[in-house]
Amino acid sequence: MPQSQSTAKKPQNNQRDRAILGLTRSCGLQDEGARALRSVASPTERYPAATLITPAGSTPRPKLILSGWACELRTIEDGRRQIFSFALAGDAVVSRPASAAHSCVLMALTAVECIDVERTLSGAQDPGRQDLARAIEQSLQVARERRYTQAVRLGRRSAVERVGDLLLELYDRLQMVDLVEAGGFPIALTQEHLADALGLSTVHVNRRLRTLRTRKLATLRFGRVSGFDREGLAALAR
Amino acid sequence: MPQSQSTAKKPQNNQRDRAILGLTRSCGLQDEGARALRSVASPTERYPAATLITPAGSTPRPKLILSGWACELRTIEDGRRQIFSFALAGDAVVSRPASAAHSCVLMALTAVECIDVERTLSGAQDPGRQDLARAIEQSLQVARERRYTQAVRLGRRSAVERVGDLLLELYDRLQMVDLVEAGGFPIALTQEHLADALGLSTVHVNRRLRTLRTRKLATLRFGRVSGFDREGLAALAR
DNA sequence: CGGTCGTTTGAAGTGGTTCAAGCCTTGTGG
DNA sequence: CCACAAGGCTTGAACCACTTCAAACGACCG
């Protein structure tokens, strides 16, 4: 599946290259689609950490993440929060107006760079853009399917399994965009973020992270996961 | 396998009326769309209780439920199950080939009648069918949004809240298709189904159901919920 | 009428929460 | 360059929500 190709031109390190890499590997983006994305004059939107990524108008707008970490989340009246998913470079996400009580909100966890998909795709119907549109649609679909896995995590897994399983997902996804190296990867999440995603208390996330560390499955320190044992973790949350 | 019977008589219209009601109230189906659905000669597919609703080919196929209860679920290796959602009359659902390990399976909980959406919509592009297609797409979208609520339930609510909140959802949805009467409604779910949907043990579902009963919020007996206090339950899981 | 499946209840155990305090790291301003 | 504040991480102790196991009971079905 990882069909690593030299679609990325190294010369100047374009922000968009990582997203192109992700769409290529996970969603079968073709060269022509990559070229379309690279050449389009769509402005990069920037959101500071801890701000909402809201659409311009009042309709849901798909965005393509170029860099940074974002998440879909909902907050309930008493302040409890649930994070539904994390969005990384190369992921397409739908951002909705914050008002929609029955939906969710997209929030930047770190500084985030993204581009507006529809703005990028509007206009000419050349094959490059069509391919890009297809890949982005597929990316959204993949994200939708991941939500099933997330529900299983929340409903039917123990705390260690939840933590391990989520790290596994992040590992695999970051691998796709060349953000894994030397058996480790950067993780821009606090233990509170993990807790909100996993339906646990922060304290307990901390303790189960410790379990993973002592079992030599993964070590999270200073915004980085190291000593990652993919096989071991996969066995944990089979 | 779908056991489709070609009863091309009037009774068929009756089956479809409930779905039409649901699509009209929840998804803005217009008269012309309703007429299109009623007149189309698509055979009704029937699935017995506890069987998988699988697509004919190997691609995901949308179905429109006419009667009965179905659910989306995934089973993990050790036998634990997670139910993601319930599908009732008037709901559109996507059924996928059972092999897709990363997705989920659609299972009939009672005998289920449904029709294949694409078969129904193929052919002429009259405005009636277009309206129908739009309403069905909207129904799928509504179902997708409900998954966020389900994730909050699993991750951030206590057991009583989970049970109450789910009953509330079912009440509101059944109300839309005129299946609520006298403050109660039929519920074709065992406590084990509820447990699998809510990430709890059957025993605990039983106990929290008891809590709801003693607090006079809702009583589940013999496949029926009665004494339903909508306000009280809404306050419970605000 | 007996068998099966679903529900109900009790008692004991465990996994996760809560509260509270101390520590470490990072960033900020003097 | 140091001092200090703020936010995140870590740990302990007590508590409670939910699970597990086991047994009995009730409803439905052939």
Side-chain angles (χ1 to χ4, degrees), chain B residues 50-129:
Chain B
T51 60
L52 293 187
I53 300 180
T54 32
S58 65
T59 44
R61 290 187 81 84
K63 308 279 184 191
L64 181 64
I65 309 283
L66 300 178
S67 72
W69 290 59
C71 72
E72 293 183 299
L73 99 181
R74 194 190 290 179
T75 307
I76 55 182
E77 289 72 3
D78 57 8
R80 286 179 286 185
R81 297 176 145 214
Q82 180 64 47
I83 290 178
F84 303 113
S85 70
F86 297 108
L88 317 174
D91 289 333
V93 289
V94 175
S95 73
R96 299 183 188 78
S99 57
H102 275 299
S103 182
C104 70
V105 126
L106 190 64
M107 185 170 171
L109 299 176
T110 65
V112 163
E113 297 177 313
C114 60
I115 57 178
D116 191 282
V117 168
E118 285 171 17
R119 192 169 316 198
T120 306
L121 290 176
S122 69
Q125 285 300 313
D126 56 296
R129 290 199 191 181

Side-chain angles (χ1 to χ4, degrees), chain B residues 24-47:
Chain B
T24 302
R25 292 190 182 162
S26 313
C27 303
L29 186 75
Q30 302 296 310
D31 280 352
E32 53 186 2
R35 247 177 282 121
L37 176 53
R38 209 178 276 111
S39 67
V40 136
S42 197
T44 299
E45 298 177 1
R46 281 160 220 277
Y47 299 86

